[in-house]
Amino acid sequence: MIVLDLHCSNAHRFEGWFGSAAAFEAQLADRLVNCPICGATEVRRLPSAPYVQTGQSASTRLPAAGEVQAASAVPPSAPAPEGLARLMTQLRSLARVAENVGERLPEEARRIHYGETEARDIRGSASADEVESLLEEGILVLPVPPAEEDLH
């Protein structure tokens, strides 16, 4: 079971629970995923580290196939611009001191995650599909936008 952050065409954010990423894609293609706030069926997945439920207690009920549960109908409030700027500065500082593995990021992240090499901070590049695959494996990655002075 995975919990995904979703976004509808009317800018409403909500969570959806699915058996797998493939189940989400199938339901999305069949237009079975809709916004609990406005009912829009134009929904996309937001980048996130999904919560993966690996076990089930006897009292836990999983959603039935095709059932999507909204965690909250109220979108979260936006963070203060000062706090967001401070967070971005800290993230960029951490990225600067991490080992740059370039395009080998997905491979190195997997090797670290599965204990095949020493744990260390790394940075690099990966396609959206590679990032999604890493997240589905439970490997947390975080895109860090470049500083304005690094943009060309």
Side-chain angles (χ1 to χ4, degrees):
M1 182 64 56
I2 61 172
V3 180
L4 301 177
D5 290 324
L6 305 173
H7 188 261
C8 80
S9 57
N10 293 315
H12 299 127
R13 289 182 64 150
F14 58 99
E15 287 184 349
W17 294 45
F18 302 90
S20 66
F24 165 70
E25 294 297 334
Q27 290 178 34
L28 188 64
D30 292 338
R31 301 183 73 84
L32 296 174
V33 180
N34 61 353
C35 176
I37 300 165
C38 67
T41 57
E42 290 181 41
V43 173
R44 67 180 174 91
R45 180 177 174 180
L46 293 172
S48 66
Y51 168 75
V52 179
Q53 182 174 341
T54 57
Q56 177 181 357
S57 68
S59 63
T60 303
R61 179 197 162 283
L62 295 178
E67 179 181 355
V68 177
Q69 299 178 345
S72 172
V74 179
S77 61
E82 304 81 31
L84 190 54
R86 215 171 24 255
L87 175 63
M88 292 309 301
T89 299
Q90 290 173 340
L91 288 173
R92 288 182 183 121
S93 294
L94 291 171
R96 273 196 275 306
V97 298
E99 179 185 345
N100 187 355
V101 295
E103 292 181 3
R104 295 187 346 261
L105 178 72
E107 174 190 341
E108 286 299 311
R110 283 186 179 94
R111 291 181 65 219
I112 292 168
H113 181 76
Y114 294 112
E116 297 171 7
T117 190
E118 79 278 358
R120 64 195 191 282
D121 295 330
I122 60 172
R123 65 184 167 100
S125 59
S127 70
D129 288 340
E130 289 170 325
V131 169
E132 183 175 357
S133 179
L134 289 168
L135 292 173
E136 287 172 355
E137 290 179 50
I139 302 170
L140 300 179
V141 293
L142 179 65
V144 179
E148 285 188 36
E149 61 268 11
D150 294 337
L151 296 175
H152 309 208

